[in-house]
């Protein structure tokens, strides 16, 4: 459950601030000030969904139900399959750019929901957190957010997990500082709430389309390779070509075995001695965290907050955006993901498509989704302020 406007008003009163910030507000501004202007300044109610947000939300909900032990593995896989079937049968559904992209995306996630690891700890999903940040002049900015999943291990380490259905190529070492800002912001919030040292907080992305393939070398040592889930066996083909002859499998039979294993994406048809030399686990990208890192992030985020205030206070925002942020038709984010540039309204205004008379689409409140009737509003606010 997400906080309602009256809850946010109570927080504003408590901290004597005129706004409660969300990281989505910051990320929208950083990705595209045009979208920020549309959603937060002009407050236009538009449908900001695309095929990736639709699938991403469903993946979050399903895995969170499983980690909370509300459903078992078979039910989790069934929920995913049912969702995909509904999407395929809906003629109005958002579509992937190509069938190849669609197939890879769906096959990888289907494997994830059949094989992902569970956790042996009580998991808290959509945990509300509050972070209090100060800029270089001491001005207070209060952020509210929700951790995808959180748990504490037997050593007292607090684990914060962010589930991602996106490509791991966007999480390069160069991009990771930007990608991890939200997770680190939530780590700051939990540090402030509990006093837990930063070295006891573990932040990681669960990259749902991928797995770690662990394979044994001839020396007996183990190595690891990150692969797309739907292709992990095929990616081990060269290693199997070396290992099968040593298990007394003739070359022709070995080739047939490898093809069968690759096509089915399982090693069940291979000799047990070979199977024991491979296993897979979830692919996590871990985020390094320290007090210094979090202090720098505080300055960076509060700097963005002040940049946003500067934008909001400009006399002619439209002209400013036209000069400083022209539309780039070759940019994938602009064309496919940006709430403003991918909207029907923008495309109609710029003659990209014919105008269509439709009723305005409503979206969930900017701070959250559907209400959970089983959670009391006061309990949620009290949990946040503990």
């Amino acid at each position: 459950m997400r906080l309602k406007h009256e809850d946010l008003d109570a927080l504003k009163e408590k901290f004597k601030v005129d706004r409660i910030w969300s990281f989505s507000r910051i990320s929208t501004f950083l990705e595209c000030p045009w979208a920020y202007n549309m959603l937060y300044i002009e407050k236009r109610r538009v449908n900001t969904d695309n095929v990736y947000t639709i699938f991403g939300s469903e993946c979050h909900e399903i895995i969170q139900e499983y980690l909370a032990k509300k459903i078992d593995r078979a039910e989790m896989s069934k929920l995913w399959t049912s969702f995909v079937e509904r999407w395929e049968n809906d003629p109005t559904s958002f579509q992937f750019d190509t069938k190849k992209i669609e197939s890879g995306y769906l096959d990888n996630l289907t494997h994830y929901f059949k094989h992902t690891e569970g956790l042996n700890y009580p998991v808290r999903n959509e945990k509300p957190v509050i972070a209090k940040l100060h800029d270089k002049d001491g001005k207070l900015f209060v952020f509210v957010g929700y951790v995808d999943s959180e748990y504490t291990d037997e050593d007292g380490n607090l684990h914060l997990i962010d589930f991602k259905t996106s490509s791991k190529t966007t999480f390069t070492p160069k991009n990771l500082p930007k990608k991890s800002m939200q997770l680190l912001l939530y780590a700051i919030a939990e540090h402030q709430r509990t006093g837990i040292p930063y070295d006891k907080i573990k932040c990681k992305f669960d990259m749902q389309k991928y797995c770690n393939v662990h394979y044994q070398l001839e020396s007996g040592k183990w190595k690891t390779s990150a692969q797309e889930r739907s292709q992990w066996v095929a990616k081990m083909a060269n290693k199997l070509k070396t290992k099968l002859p040593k298990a007394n499998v003739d070359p022709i039979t070995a080739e047939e075995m490898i093809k069968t294993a690759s096509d089915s994406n399982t090693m069940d048809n291979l000799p047990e001695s070979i199977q024991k030399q491979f296993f897979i686990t979830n692919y996590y990208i871990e985020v390094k965290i320290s007090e210094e890192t979090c202090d720098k992030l505080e300055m960076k985020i509060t700097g963005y907050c002040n940049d946003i205030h500067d934008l909001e206070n400009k006399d002619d925002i439209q002209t400013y955006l036209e000069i400083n942020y022209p539309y780039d038709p070759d940019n994938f984010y602009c064309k496919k993901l940006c709430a403003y540039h991918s909207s029907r309204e923008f495309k109609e205004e710029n003659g990209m498509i014919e105008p269509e008379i439709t009723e305005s689409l409503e979206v969930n409140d900017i701070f959250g989704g559907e209400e959970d009737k089983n959670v009391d509003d006061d309990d949620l606010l009290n949990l946040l302020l503990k």
Side-chain angles (χ1 to χ4, degrees):
M1 178 181 174
R2 301 299 175 101
L3 293 176
K4 296 181 178 180
H5 283 294
E6 51 264 36
D7 300 320
L8 299 170
D9 288 339
L11 291 175
K12 286 190 283 188
E13 176 64 26
K14 175 180 175 61
F15 293 107
K16 307 302 180 187
V17 294
D18 59 5
R19 174 182 294 171
I20 299 299
W21 293 77
S22 66
F23 187 78
S24 61
R25 190 178 196 119
I26 300 293
S27 62
T28 300
F29 171 75
L30 293 177
E31 294 289 2
C32 181
W34 281 99
Y36 183 89
N37 177 59
M38 177 181 71
L39 295 172
Y40 291 94
I41 300 177
E42 296 179 351
K43 301 186 187 301
R44 286 190 246 169
R45 307 189 74 170
V46 296
N47 187 351
T48 59
D49 281 328
N50 56 62
V51 68
Y52 297 105
T53 61
I54 294 295
F55 272 90
S57 297
E58 188 69 18
C59 288
H60 275 68
E61 184 174 334
I62 293 174
I63 188 59
Q64 287 174 332
E65 290 282 294
Y66 174 67
L67 293 179
K69 295 181 168 52
K70 294 181 179 180
I71 56 175
D72 60 24
R73 185 179 298 277
E75 292 171 314
M76 173 174 60
S77 183
K78 184 177 179 180
L79 280 175
W80 167 250
T81 301
S82 296
F83 171 75
V84 173
E85 289 176 351
R86 292 197 305 273
W87 171 78
E88 290 175 332
N89 293 325
D90 182 359
T92 66
S93 63
F94 293 100
Q95 297 295 309
F96 295 91
D97 285 343
T98 67
K99 285 297 180 181
K100 182 179 179 180
I101 294 175
E102 174 187 319
S103 176
Y105 190 93
L106 298 183
D107 289 348
N108 285 326
L109 290 171
T110 297
H111 186 279
Y112 176 85
F113 288 115
K114 288 182 178 178
H115 300 281
T116 186
E117 304 158 18
L119 294 170
N120 296 321
Y121 311 98
V123 175
R124 300 173 290 278
N125 294 319
E126 295 301 317
K127 167 73 183 304
V129 294
I130 185 166
K132 301 173 284 292
L133 308 183
H134 295 83
D135 69 7
K136 58 183 177 60
D137 297 320
K139 183 179 179 180
L140 175 64
F141 297 88
V142 178
F143 280 79
V144 165
Y146 305 85
V147 183
D148 282 355
S149 292
E150 174 186 294
Y151 68 92
T152 304
D153 66 23
E154 67 272 13
D155 297 320
N157 296 308
L158 179 64
H159 295 254
L160 309 182
I161 305 176
D162 190 353
F163 300 102
K164 293 296 182 184
T165 60
S166 47
S167 170
K168 67 183 179 69
T169 58
T170 62
F171 284 76
T172 61
K174 180 181 178 181
N175 292 336
L176 193 57
K178 180 180 179 181
K179 292 287 187 180
S180 60
M181 284 195 297
Q182 184 174 18
L183 258 183
L184 291 177
L185 176 64
Y186 295 167
I188 292 173
E190 289 297 61
H191 169 75
Q192 291 177 344
R193 182 180 70 87
T194 66
I196 184 173
Y198 283 121
D199 61 6
K200 299 288 286 183
I201 302 178
K202 312 298 180 184
C203 296
K204 56 189 176 183
F205 295 103
D206 184 345
M207 306 300 291
Q208 294 175 290
K209 295 194 303 181
Y210 303 89
C211 64
N212 273 326
V213 182
H214 307 271
Y215 56 94
Q216 193 172 29
L217 302 176
E218 297 304 314
S219 64
K221 294 182 179 180
W222 288 84
K223 290 196 70 174
T224 301
S225 174
Q227 301 292 343
E228 287 190 48
R229 285 181 170 272
S230 63
Q231 301 177 22
W232 81 266
V233 175
K235 293 298 183 180
M236 296 296 111
N238 288 335
K239 295 175 177 56
L240 291 173
K241 288 178 183 178
T242 301
K243 291 178 178 293
L244 284 170
K246 295 179 179 180
N248 297 319
V249 179
D250 66 84
I252 294 178
T253 303
E255 185 175 342
E256 292 174 349
M257 283 183 166
I258 293 171
K259 185 179 187 310
T260 299
S262 298
D263 290 345
S264 61
N265 199 39
T266 176
M267 293 188 176
D268 291 349
N269 67 308
L270 302 181
E272 186 176 351
S273 62
I274 299 297
Q275 293 183 41
K276 288 181 178 179
Q277 297 179 53
F278 297 86
F279 69 94
I280 62 173
T281 57
N282 283 15
Y283 176 59
Y284 295 108
I285 295 179
E286 298 188 354
V287 179
K288 293 182 180 180
I289 180 172
S290 67
E291 185 170 357
E292 180 183 5
T293 301
C294 292
D295 287 345
K296 289 181 178 178
L297 180 67
E298 181 174 9
M299 290 298 101
K300 181 177 290 187
I301 291 180
T302 54
Y304 294 144
C305 293
N306 286 319
D307 290 342
I308 287 173
H309 280 312
D310 289 343
L311 174 64
E312 293 172 340
N313 292 328
K314 290 190 180 301
D315 293 331
D316 189 347
I317 296 177
Q318 188 81 11
T319 299
Y320 170 80
L321 293 176
E322 289 174 353
I323 295 173
N324 293 279
Y325 300 96
Y327 173 60
D328 181 1
D330 296 323
N331 182 282
F332 177 81
Y333 181 86
C334 282
K335 288 196 300 182
K336 302 295 182 181
L337 304 179
C338 176
Y340 175 69
H341 290 113
S342 64
S343 68
R344 168 168 285 276
E345 182 175 346
F346 171 77
K347 292 176 181 178
E348 288 179 355
E349 289 175 354
N350 289 271
M352 298 177 181
I353 58 175
E354 292 296 322
E356 179 180 76
I357 301 176
T358 59
E359 295 182 5
S360 60
L361 295 170
E362 293 193 4
V363 295
N364 287 335
D365 181 84
I366 204 72
F367 285 99
E370 297 179 357
E371 297 179 16
D372 185 342
K373 302 300 183 181
N374 297 320
V375 181
D376 184 82
D377 292 346
D378 292 336
D379 290 342
L380 185 62
L381 190 59
N382 290 334
L383 176 64
L384 188 63
L385 294 174
K386 274 187 177 181

